[in-house]
Amino acid sequence: MGNLIAPWLAGTVYEKSGYYAVFAIILAIIAFDFILRVVMIEKRTAAKWLSKGKPTLPHVRREITEASWTDPEQDTCHRPPSVSSRVQDYQAPNPDQTPPLCGHTPEPDETSPLLNSESKRRSHWLAETFPRMTLLLSSRRMLAATWGAFAHTMLIAYFNTTLPLFVKHLFHWGSRGAGLIFLTISAPSLLGTVFGMLSDRFGTRKVALVGFALLVPSLASLGTVTHDSTGNVVLLCLLLVLVGTGLNAILSPLAADMFHEVGVLAEKHPDVFDKGGAFAQAYSLFNGALGFSTVIGASSAGVLLDYTNWWIACGVMALLTAVIGLLVLRYTGRIVRAAENHNEATPNRA
C-alpha cells in the first residue's frame, strides 16, 4: 500500500511545499524505521529471557535428566521407519552382504545404490551449495507465487512511471491531480483482509482467478481513454479501481500460498530445513521478485511510451499479465494439492 500512497502524498507535498519537503518526509520515515528495528526484540531472544525467569522444579529436573539418556524409541538408529518410507526405500536383501552396524555408514561400491545418488548430488553445484534455495526454486507452486508477485509489482511500477505523465499530457493536471489519481488504485488495498479470508475459505486459486479476471480486461480497456473529457476521466477512475482490486486479489492469496508451501517442503525434507525452516529465504525470494519486477516494469513502461503510445503500452501489459496469470493458475491452489496427494498415494498402491 505504501507504493501506491507515496505518489499521491509526494505530489501533494511537492505542490504545496516544494522539493526539500518531500525528502524531509522520506528521511523522517527512514529514521523511524531504523528506530523500530533497533528496539525490536526477536522471538529467540525473548524466549531466552522467559526461560531464565521461570523456576525449574525438582521433578522437571529429573525428567530432563532421564530424557538425556539414550532412549530406544528416541534413538534414530533403532527408530522404526514409517510405512511410506519402508515401501519407497525397500530393496531385496543380498545374502552376500552383511547388515551394517548401527551408526556405521558402509562405503559405496559398484553395486551400491548410493553411488548414483552421490554422483548426481556432486554434479549439481547449486544443489550442494544452496540446498534450501534449490528446493524452493524446484517447487512449481513456489514459482507460481513468485510470478504472481512479479506481475503485481510490475504493474505498480508501470503505473508509477506512466500514469502521472499520461494525466498531465491528456488532462493537463498538475502534481496534485497526478498524485490523487493513485487513490483509485490504493483504495482497494483496504480489501486485503477480505481477500485473505476468502482465500482461507474458498482456496487461493479461485481468489487469484478473480484477480486476474479483473486485471486483464481492465488493463486492455485503459487504452480506450484517449481524449480529454469528463467521461474519459470517470472511465479512467473506474478502470483503475478495478485494476487496484485485481492487484490486491492476487497478492494476498499468493503470499499465503508461498509460505504454506514452505511448511510443506520443510515437512518433506527435514534433513535440509532446520527448526527455523526457510521462511527467511522464501521471503527473500518473494522480495527479490518484487525488486526485479520494479525495474522491469518501470523500464519497459518508459520504452513503450517512447516508441509506441498509451493504447499499445496498456495492451502489452494486459498480454503479459494474462500469460503470467495462466502460469499462476496452473500451479497454485488445489491443483497442486491434488497432484501432491496423487504422488504420495502411488507408492502405497504399489
Side-chain angles (χ1 to χ4, degrees):
M1 189 173 180
N3 291 331
L4 301 175
I5 293 180
W8 161 71
L9 182 62
T12 305
V13 173
Y14 176 77
E15 185 174 351
K16 289 293 184 179
S17 303
Y19 181 80
Y20 292 102
V22 176
F23 278 89
I25 296 177
I26 295 174
L27 294 177
I29 294 175
I30 293 176
F32 181 69
D33 179 76
F34 178 77
I35 293 173
L36 292 179
R37 294 177 185 271
V38 171
V39 301
M40 181 181 63
I41 301 176
E42 295 186 359
K43 185 177 180 180
R44 297 177 181 177
T45 306
K48 293 179 181 179
W49 291 350
L50 293 175
S51 62
K52 290 181 180 179
K54 293 182 179 180
T56 304
L57 299 178
H59 67 278
V60 177
R61 292 196 188 99
R62 184 171 60 255
E63 292 177 357
I64 296 175
T65 305
E66 293 175 357
S68 62
W69 295 93
T70 302
D71 191 352
E73 296 181 358
Q74 297 179 355
D75 189 5
T76 57
C77 183
H78 300 86
R79 183 184 300 172
S82 60
V83 177
S84 60
S85 62
R86 282 183 290 175
V87 173
Q88 295 176 359
D89 300 334
Y90 175 77
Q91 294 178 357
N94 191 349
D96 297 334
Q97 296 180 353
T98 58
L101 296 177
C102 180
H104 175 70
T105 303
E107 295 294 333
D109 54 7
E110 295 180 355
T111 62
S112 176
L114 297 174
L115 187 61
N116 293 330
S117 60
E118 290 181 1
S119 61
K120 290 180 180 179
R121 286 197 298 267
R122 292 174 183 174
S123 62
H124 298 283
W125 176 85
L126 184 63
E128 292 181 352
T129 309
F130 307 102
R132 297 182 182 179
M133 187 59 67
T134 302
L135 286 175
L136 293 178
L137 292 176
S138 62
S139 172
R140 295 179 178 178
R141 192 172 176 183
M142 184 72 64
L143 292 179
T146 305
W147 276 109
F150 178 87
H152 174 273
T153 311
M154 179 188 68
L155 293 176
I156 292 180
Y158 168 77
F159 285 115
N160 287 341
T161 305
T162 60
L163 194 56
L165 299 176
F166 175 73
V167 297
K168 182 179 180 180
H169 174 74
L170 185 63
F171 303 127
H172 308 287
W173 290 355
S175 300
R176 180 184 296 181
L180 288 174
I181 194 63
F182 281 93
L183 288 177
T184 57
I185 305 178
S186 60
S189 300
L190 301 175
L191 300 175
T193 54
V194 177
F195 290 126
M197 290 187 295
L198 292 177
S199 301
D200 294 336
R201 183 172 181 179
F202 300 104
T204 57
R205 182 173 179 267
K206 292 182 179 180
V207 179
L209 176 61
V210 173
F212 281 103
L214 290 175
L215 275 176
V216 175
S218 300
L219 289 171
S221 301
L222 282 174
T224 60
V225 181
T226 56
H227 297 89
D228 184 6
S229 63
T230 305
N232 279 335
V233 173
V234 175
L235 178 61
L236 177 65
C237 293
L238 291 177
L239 291 176
L240 290 178
V241 169
L242 293 177
V243 169
T245 305
L247 289 174
N248 287 275
I250 66 174
L251 184 63
S252 299
L254 291 181
D257 205 50
M258 168 180 281
F259 291 107
H260 177 75
E261 180 67 8
V262 175
V264 173
L265 292 176
E267 293 180 359
K268 290 184 177 180
H269 305 278
D271 55 334
V272 178
F273 299 97
D274 53 10
K275 295 181 180 180
F279 290 98
Q281 295 192 25
Y283 180 77
S284 66
L285 181 63
F286 194 77
N287 199 22
L290 299 183
F292 182 69
S293 59
T294 302
V295 177
I296 297 298
S299 59
S300 61
V303 172
L304 287 173
L305 285 184
D306 286 341
Y307 291 95
T308 59
N309 52 32
W310 171 255
W311 181 79
I312 296 178
C314 292
V316 171
M317 287 296 154
L319 180 61
L320 290 176
T321 305
V323 173
I324 295 176
L326 293 176
L327 295 175
V328 171
L329 297 176
R330 175 63 181 86
Y331 296 113
T332 193
R334 295 182 178 178
I335 290 181
V336 179
R337 291 192 184 97
E340 291 176 353
N341 294 334
H342 175 74
N343 293 333
E344 292 178 357
T346 301
N348 296 330
R349 291 196 300 267

